[in-house]
């Protein structure tokens, strides 16, 4: 088999065989295919697409390119959720303990933030002492004991994706439906869950800017997961506004804890309840409607908060901060961003809000950058709210006041204010089952 022939076949609109796709991913993983041929095939896939069968084969080959987790020692049904990434998206911190409080096992491997989107691992590490690296024995032991553990990826899952993603990033081929689906699901399927709920974000803060494209991606990923024998649902949720009011690591943990106490922002609470309902439902706890009631009950009676506190203590975190989130280390400096005009917030460029938080030190530009856990933004007004001239739009937090000017400029430029109140957009656009 020759890579040249595989590239030519796809360039001319042909359908690649399972063997050809396996040959390609083997060569990506062992380094025997040069970058220019990998990039050429990615570009051919970008233009000619792939059938569902080809995309499934690509996904499974990516999944099988590295180590896989074996959760057979975990007793009970295992459920996970995965978000395609957003701004202020701290849903895992609420959804995982809600679901675990009903005995469904949540053995969660999460990522770090990169670019404008945040990552669950960075958020949890803002809790002093919290360990996001556990041995496999500790991880599985904790899930069996308390039903819940959230860790970072300590081993090489789907190494073919790492190589492919790096090349797609510099050859303008990230934005290809089969390549995105194989990348996300290849990594997701390397873990050993029974049920997966995908939260496919749509809008200015996500990498799928239109609902139609998000729906197409959701359908494809659900089909891939089902063909691997998983129970799957994808929700298409709004990321045209940040979720909740907090952007930045410890600020988001505090908002998540308040939500677990029943005092969360309405939009964030709603998305968490729907995600939890579908996870519980896939795990056999009843209809999504009945499971939503269960999820609300776990917030109302404190059992989800209790589960979160158990996880924090089990992973070495300071439990005192969960009871008293006001004791989190505060950023040394803050600055209020005031509105220069009066009117309704018509639109917020959510990606730019994420970049403003990154500029304050809450995120990283490269995987090696360190982050400031208390840096970020607390929004005072969101899309649809009325603001008077001179009123606070947001408060910025950072240990380094030299960072404020750039973040303030980004935030103001990203906030469109006008006389007309904008039409209300849905929080959940669709459920793909
Ligand atoms: N996230 C991924 O993991 N892969 C993609 O291709 C896009 C987003």
């Amino acid at each position: 088999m020759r890579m040249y022939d595989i590239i030519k076949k796809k360039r001319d609109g042909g359908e690649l065989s399972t063997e050809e796709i396996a040959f390609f991913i083997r060569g990506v993983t062992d380094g025997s295919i040069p970058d220019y041929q990998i990039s050429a095939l990615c570009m051919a896939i970008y233009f000619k697409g792939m059938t569902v069968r080809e995309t499934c084969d690509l996904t499974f080959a990516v999944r099988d390119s590295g180590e896989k987790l074996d959760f057979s020692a975990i007793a009970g049904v295992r459920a996970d959720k995965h978000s395609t990434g957003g701004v202020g998206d701290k849903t895992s911190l609420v959804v995982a303990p809600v679901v675990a409080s009903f005995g469904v096992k949540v053995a969660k491997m999460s990522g770090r933030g990169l670019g404008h989107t945040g990552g669950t691992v960075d958020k949890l590490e803002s809790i002093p002492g919290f360990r996001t690296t556990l041995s496999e024995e500790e991880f599985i032991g904790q899930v069996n004991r308390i039903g819940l553990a959230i860790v970072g990826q300590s081993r090489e899952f789907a190494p073919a994706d790492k190589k492919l993603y790096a090349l797609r990033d510099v050859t303008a081929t990230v934005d290809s439906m089969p390549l995105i689906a194989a990348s996300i699901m290849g990594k997701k399927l390397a873990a050993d869950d029974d049920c997966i709920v995908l939260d496919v974000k749509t809008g200015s803060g996500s990498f799928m800017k239109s609902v139609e494209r998000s729906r197409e991606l959701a359908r494809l990923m659900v089909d891939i997961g089902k063909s691997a024998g998983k129970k799957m649902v994808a929700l298409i949720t709004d990321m045209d506004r940040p979720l909740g009011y907090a952007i930045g690591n410890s600020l988001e943990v505090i908002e998540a804890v308040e939500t677990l106490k029943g005092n969360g922002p309405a939009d964030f609470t709603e998305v968490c309840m729907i995600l939890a309902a579908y996870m519980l439902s896939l795990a056999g706890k009843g209809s999504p409607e009945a499971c939503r009631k269960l999820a609300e009950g776990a917030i109302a009676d404190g059992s989800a908060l209790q589960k979160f506190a158990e996880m924090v203590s089990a992973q070495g975190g300071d439990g005192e901060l969960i009871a008293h989130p006001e004791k989190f280390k505060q950023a040394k400096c803050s600055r209020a961003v005031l509105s220069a005009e009066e009117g309704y917030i018509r639109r917020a460029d959510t990606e730019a809000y994420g970049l403003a938080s990154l500029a304050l030190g809450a995120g990283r530009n490269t995987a090696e950058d360190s982050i400031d856990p208390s840096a970020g933004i607390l929004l005072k007004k969101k899309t649809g709210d009325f603001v008077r001239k001179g009123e606070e739009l947001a408060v910025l937090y950072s240990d380094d006041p030299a960072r404020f000017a750039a973040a303030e400029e980004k935030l103001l430029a990203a906030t469109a204010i006008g006389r007309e109140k904008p039409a209300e957009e849905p929080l959940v656009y669709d459920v793909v089952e």
Side-chain angles (χ1 to χ4, degrees):
M1 212 173 280
R2 292 192 318 153
M3 193 56 198
Y4 176 91
D5 300 321
I6 295 175
I7 296 168
K8 186 162 176 288
K9 185 171 179 186
K10 184 45 77 183
R11 182 201 69 186
D12 296 340
E15 183 173 346
L16 301 180
S17 68
T18 305
E19 293 71 32
E20 285 165 332
I21 290 170
F23 173 86
F24 169 58
I25 292 299
R26 248 194 332 272
V28 169
T29 312
D30 67 17
S32 59
I33 301 176
D35 289 0
Y36 50 83
Q37 285 189 314
I38 299 173
S39 305
L41 185 61
C42 287
M43 191 58 86
I45 293 171
Y46 179 91
F47 280 114
K48 297 294 177 179
M50 279 185 142
T51 63
V52 173
R53 197 226 89 235
E54 283 176 294
T55 311
C56 283
D57 283 344
L58 183 65
T59 308
F60 301 154
V62 167
R63 172 197 64 192
D64 297 340
S65 67
E67 289 188 53
K68 279 176 274 179
L69 280 175
D70 174 5
F71 287 166
S72 56
I74 296 176
V77 179
R78 305 170 301 258
D80 195 6
K81 70 165 274 285
H82 178 79
S83 159
T84 57
V87 176
D89 182 3
K90 71 253 354 148
T91 47
S92 292
L93 303 182
V94 173
V95 173
V98 166
V99 170
S101 72
F102 291 98
V104 176
K105 299 295 176 10
V106 184
K108 191 154 182 49
M109 309 253 305
S110 287
R112 294 189 181 278
L114 194 61
H116 75 281
T117 65
T120 302
V121 167
D122 293 330
K123 296 176 215 255
L124 285 170
E125 284 181 354
S126 73
I127 304 170
F130 193 97
R131 291 193 303 135
T132 55
T133 305
L134 301 180
S135 69
E136 193 164 331
E137 214 180 334
E138 284 177 303
F139 181 56
I140 288 180
Q142 182 177 317
V143 175
N144 274 329
R145 208 169 56 253
I146 66 167
L148 169 65
I150 306 181
V151 295
Q153 292 192 4
S154 53
R155 285 192 281 147
E156 256 235 292
F157 294 104
D161 179 64
K162 202 170 175 184
K163 173 86 188 175
L164 275 176
Y165 195 89
L167 288 173
R168 287 166 58 209
D169 209 17
V170 292
T171 54
T173 51
V174 167
D175 194 17
S176 148
M177 207 60 79
L179 293 179
I180 294 172
S183 166
I184 293 176
M185 291 304 291
K187 286 176 290 207
K188 209 70 227 158
L189 295 178
D192 194 10
D193 291 296
D194 304 303
C195 319
I196 303 172
V197 174
L198 299 170
D199 182 8
V200 179
K201 299 288 184 196
T202 192
S204 60
S206 71
F207 68 94
M208 286 285 138
K209 307 290 182 205
S210 79
V211 178
E212 291 66 37
R213 299 235 337 132
S214 303
R215 195 177 277 123
E216 201 184 324
L217 178 65
R219 177 81 267 154
L220 186 56
M221 294 198 295
V222 165
D223 287 346
I224 292 170
K226 281 188 172 172
S227 73
K230 309 292 178 189
K231 292 186 179 168
M232 300 287 305
V233 169
L235 305 181
I236 310 216
T237 69
D238 179 65
M239 194 30 76
D240 223 22
R241 299 156 274 186
L243 203 45
Y245 288 85
I247 309 170
N249 298 296
S250 64
L251 294 172
E252 292 191 42
V253 174
I254 294 168
E255 191 167 71
V257 170
E258 287 305 324
T259 304
L260 286 164
K261 289 178 180 169
N263 309 321
D267 62 342
F268 175 58
T269 304
E270 176 66 16
V271 172
C272 289
M273 291 299 96
I274 293 177
L275 287 169
Y278 276 94
M279 270 174 88
L280 287 167
S281 182
L282 283 188
K285 297 290 178 188
S287 67
E289 297 72 30
C291 288
R292 181 179 172 124
K293 292 211 162 55
L294 292 179
E296 287 170 354
I299 298 288
D301 69 12
S303 50
L305 178 68
Q306 168 67 24
K307 192 54 71 185
F308 184 70
E310 280 175 40
M311 177 185 75
V312 169
S313 313
Q315 292 185 229
D318 183 351
E320 175 70 6
L321 294 179
I322 306 309
H324 301 284
E326 68 282 359
K327 292 188 181 167
F328 264 95
K329 174 197 165 281
Q330 304 285 310
K332 290 192 187 120
C333 312
S334 65
R335 180 192 287 187
V337 178
L338 307 180
S339 177
E341 326 166 49
E342 175 167 305
Y344 288 98
I345 302 197
R346 294 195 49 77
R347 198 168 174 276
D349 176 346
T350 308
E351 179 171 348
Y353 275 41
L355 291 172
S357 175
L358 188 148
L360 292 166
R364 47 174 84 75
N365 286 304
T366 71
E368 288 73 38
D369 289 351
S370 62
I371 56 171
D372 172 357
S374 54
I377 304 171
L378 267 186
L379 299 171
K380 298 292 178 178
K381 301 281 178 184
K382 296 212 327 181
T383 304
D385 288 344
F386 187 80
V387 61
R388 281 188 297 280
K389 188 173 174 181
E391 206 179 350
E392 281 185 4
L393 283 173
V395 180
L396 312 181
Y397 295 91
S398 181
D399 279 349
D400 177 3
R403 291 175 177 265
F404 285 142
E408 179 169 14
E409 193 182 324
K410 276 194 175 62
L411 201 88
L412 286 172
T415 310
I417 295 174
R419 297 173 71 85
E420 301 266 305
K421 190 173 164 78
E424 205 150 310
E425 299 290 344
L427 267 176
V428 179
Y429 284 90
D430 209 349
V431 179
V432 178
E433 302 197 49

